[in-house]
C-alpha cells in the first residue's frame, strides 16, 4: 500500500489552475524529494496532501491508505508530521521552551497548555536525545538558531509516531552552517526511522541528500520529471526547471552542486 497516491489532480486557487493533472505515488517507507522553483506549485501540493486544498471533481487523492472524501481529515492529520520553518512564527508572546514545544506535539498546539504525563516527558527527552538536542530542552525557542528550532519541530512531530513526515523547505531561512546542521539531522532521522515515509520539499538541488532515492521536479504546476534520483536530477531537467544553464558537480558524499554557466 502506498503512502501517497494522487491521480488526475487539478487544483484551482482564486480562479487560477495551480496544479495540472498531477499523477504521483510514494511508497511506504520511501524517501522522496519534490524540487521546484518559486511558483512551481510545491506549497499547493503540500496543502492538497494535508486536505487544505482540494482538487476538482474526478481526482483521486489517498494518503496513508485513506481516500479523501471518505475520511476524517482531522484524524488523518494526526498520522502526518508537517514540519515547516514558518511554524516558529506562530509562537506568540510567550517564551516557550524546547521541552514545552516538543510536548505540545500530541495536542497539535504551538506551546503546552496542560500538564504532560510522565510517559510523555520520557518520550520527549528520548527524542531530543536521539536528535542530539538535549541541551535545547530548557532553552527558549526564541533564543535558538533557525536550525535548532527546526530540530525541536522535528522532535515535536515525532511525538505522535507519524507514518508520514513532510519537510516543507526546512532550510529556507538557514545560512550554510545551519543548513548543514539540519541536513545532518535529517540524514540521521532517515537512518534511525526506516519505517517513516519522508517527503522533502526544496528549491535547492544541493539540499537533496542521497537518502532521497526518488523524487520529482515541478514546473509551473506540472510534473516535469518523476522517477529515480538519477533519472530526475539531470542537467537537462534542471535547466528546464529553472531556466538557467546549469552544470552539475557530484561531491564524494553523493550530493549534487550546481554551477551556472
Amino acid at each position: 500500500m502506498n503512502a501517497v497516491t494522487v491521480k488526475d489532480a487539478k487544483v484551482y486557487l482564486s480562479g487560477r489552475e495551480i496544479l495540472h493533472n498531477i499523477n504521483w505515488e510514494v511508497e511506504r517507507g520511501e524517501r522522496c524529494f519534490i524540487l521546484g522553483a518559486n511558483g512551481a506549485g510545491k506549497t499547493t501540493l503540500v496543502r492538497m496532501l494535508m486536505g487544505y486544498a482540494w482538487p476538482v471533481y474526478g481526482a483521486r487523492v489517498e494518503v496513508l491508505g485513506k481516500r479523501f472524501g471518505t475520511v476524517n481529515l482531522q484524524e488523518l492529520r494526526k498520522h502526518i508530521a508537517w514540519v515547516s520553518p514558518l511554524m516558529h512564527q506562530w509562537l506568540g508572546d510567550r517564551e516557550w521552551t524546547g521541552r514545552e514545544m516538543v510536548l505540545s506535539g500530541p495536542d497539535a498546539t504551538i506551546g503546552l497548555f496542560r500538564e504532560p504525563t510522565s510517559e510523555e516527558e520520557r518520550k520527549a527527552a528520548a527524542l531530543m536525545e536521539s536528535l542530539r538536542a538535549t541541551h535545547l530542552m530548557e532553552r527558549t525557542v526564541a533564543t535558538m538558531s533557525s536550525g535548532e528550532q527546526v530540530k525541536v519541530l522535528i522532535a515535536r512531530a515525532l511525538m505522535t509516531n507519524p507514518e508520514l513526515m513532510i519537510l516543507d523547505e526546512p532550510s529556507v531561512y538557514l545560512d550554510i552552517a545551519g543548513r548543514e546542521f539540519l541536513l545532518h539531522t535529517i540524514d540521521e532521522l532517515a537512518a534511525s526511522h526506516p519505517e517513516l515515509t519522508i517527503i522533502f520539499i526544496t528549491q535547492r538541488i544541493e539540499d537533496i541528500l542521497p537518502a532521497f532515492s526518488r523524487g520529482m521536479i515541478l514546473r509551473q504546476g506540472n510534473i516535469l520529471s518523476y522517477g529515480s534520483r538519477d533519472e530526475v536530477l539531470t542537467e537537462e531537467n534542471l535547466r528546464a526547471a529553472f531556466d538557467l544553464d546549469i552544470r552539475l558537480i557530484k561531491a564524494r558524499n553523493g550530493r549534487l552542486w550546481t554551477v551556472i554557466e
Side-chain angles (χ1 to χ4, degrees):
M1 183 169 55
N2 289 332
V4 174
T5 300
V6 178
K7 299 290 185 184
D8 303 322
K10 296 181 182 179
V11 176
Y12 286 80
L13 295 176
S14 301
R16 187 166 68 93
E17 188 175 327
I18 306 298
L19 295 179
H20 319 294
N21 294 318
I22 300 297
N23 290 277
W24 177 49
E25 294 180 346
V26 179
E27 294 182 2
R28 294 262 186 172
E30 193 169 271
R31 283 83 169 89
C32 177
F33 65 84
I34 300 173
L35 176 68
N38 285 335
K42 303 187 300 298
T43 298
T44 302
L45 182 60
V46 173
R47 291 179 62 190
M48 184 180 70
L49 294 181
M50 296 296 295
Y52 295 122
W54 281 79
V56 297
Y57 180 78
R60 174 185 166 199
V61 179
E62 290 185 8
V63 177
L64 301 176
K66 307 297 184 182
R67 186 164 182 170
F68 283 21
T70 66
V71 64
N72 182 326
L73 286 173
Q74 193 65 33
E75 289 300 311
L76 177 62
R77 289 177 190 134
K78 293 179 181 179
H79 301 276
I80 305 171
W82 182 15
V83 177
S84 167
L86 296 176
M87 292 178 71
H88 77 269
Q89 299 179 7
W90 308 338
L91 295 175
D93 297 329
R94 183 162 172 179
E95 293 189 346
W96 300 106
T97 64
R99 168 188 164 275
E100 290 168 326
M101 281 296 290
V102 174
L103 285 166
S104 72
D107 298 334
T109 57
I110 305 297
L112 188 62
F113 296 94
R114 63 173 175 84
E115 192 66 29
T117 66
S118 56
E119 182 180 349
E120 288 172 332
E121 291 274 17
R122 286 193 295 270
K123 184 172 183 178
L127 283 170
M128 291 293 272
E129 182 179 6
S130 71
L131 292 168
R132 300 181 185 178
T134 301
H135 63 290
L136 301 176
M137 289 288 278
E138 300 307 323
R139 285 258 305 276
T140 58
V141 177
T143 65
M144 298 177 191
S145 69
S146 295
E148 290 171 335
Q149 288 177 352
V150 175
K151 266 200 171 189
V152 168
L153 292 175
I154 289 174
R156 175 183 177 275
L158 291 173
M159 282 291 291
T160 60
N161 297 321
E163 298 175 56
L164 169 64
M165 177 174 283
I166 301 173
L167 297 167
D168 189 1
E169 300 203 53
S171 64
V172 67
Y173 296 128
L174 304 184
D175 60 19
I176 294 175
R179 179 185 66 188
E180 294 305 311
F181 175 83
L182 173 63
L183 292 177
H184 181 68
T185 299
I186 293 171
D187 215 16
E188 290 184 331
L189 175 69
S192 61
H193 293 73
E195 77 291 347
L196 179 63
T197 306
I198 305 176
I199 297 175
F200 181 78
I201 296 145
T202 186
Q203 55 184 294
R204 298 173 177 171
I205 295 98
E206 62 270 19
D207 283 4
I208 302 173
L209 297 165
F212 292 90
S213 58
R214 290 185 64 80
M216 71 175 175
I217 297 175
L218 284 176
R219 184 179 186 274
Q220 297 178 356
N222 292 291
I223 296 178
L224 176 68
S225 181
Y226 164 45
S228 71
R229 178 189 180 88
D230 290 341
E231 292 171 334
V232 172
L233 296 179
T234 67
E235 292 178 347
E236 181 182 2
N237 286 338
L238 296 174
R239 287 168 180 162
F242 293 95
D243 294 319
L244 292 169
D245 192 4
I246 291 174
R247 182 164 63 88
L248 287 175
I249 298 174
K250 189 172 184 177
R252 284 179 296 179
N253 62 6
R255 286 170 64 186
L256 296 172
W257 298 80
T258 57
V259 175
I260 309 300
E261 296 185 330

